[in-house]
Amino acid sequence: MKPVDYRNEQWEDVLKRVHGDRMLVYGSLVSVGPCTTRKLAEAMGWDVLNVRPRVTELCQLGLARTTGGERGEGMYEAVGMFQAR
């Protein structure tokens, strides 16, 4: 998708795209709190290569954001549904 497509999406369309692995990663990010994708993957018991793309997608959807860095790795936190809307 192009950036303009994300901008033009309605909230209901965004929610339809947050399911499966994206929802699992979002839920874990909410419960774990701000962390790197590596730490999130460890907490979930997943490979980091499965978590990173989902976090990127959540950032594109407005449901996650960067919060700084730790030794060259970005830190991410979940954005609440109400705030993201």
Side-chain angles (χ1 to χ4, degrees), residues 44-65:
M44 295 179 69
W46 287 19
D47 187 280
V48 70
L49 296 177
N50 291 326
V51 172
R52 282 185 179 152
R54 304 302 75 82
V55 171
T56 298
E57 293 164 355
L58 290 171
C59 287
Q60 291 170 339
L61 293 169
L63 293 170
R65 65 179 165 223

Side-chain angles (χ1 to χ4, degrees), residues 26-47:
Y26 178 76
S28 296
L29 195 54
V30 168
S31 63
V32 172
C35 62
T36 64
T37 53
R38 186 174 310 281
K39 287 184 182 174
L40 184 61
E42 289 172 9
M44 295 179 69
W46 287 19
D47 187 280

Side-chain angles (χ1 to χ4, degrees), residues 1-10 14 60:
M1 288 181 74
K2 298 176 189 169
V4 69
D5 296 327
Y6 290 112
R7 185 198 69 205
N8 292 337
E9 260 189 329
Q10 299 294 317
V14 171
Q60 291 170 339

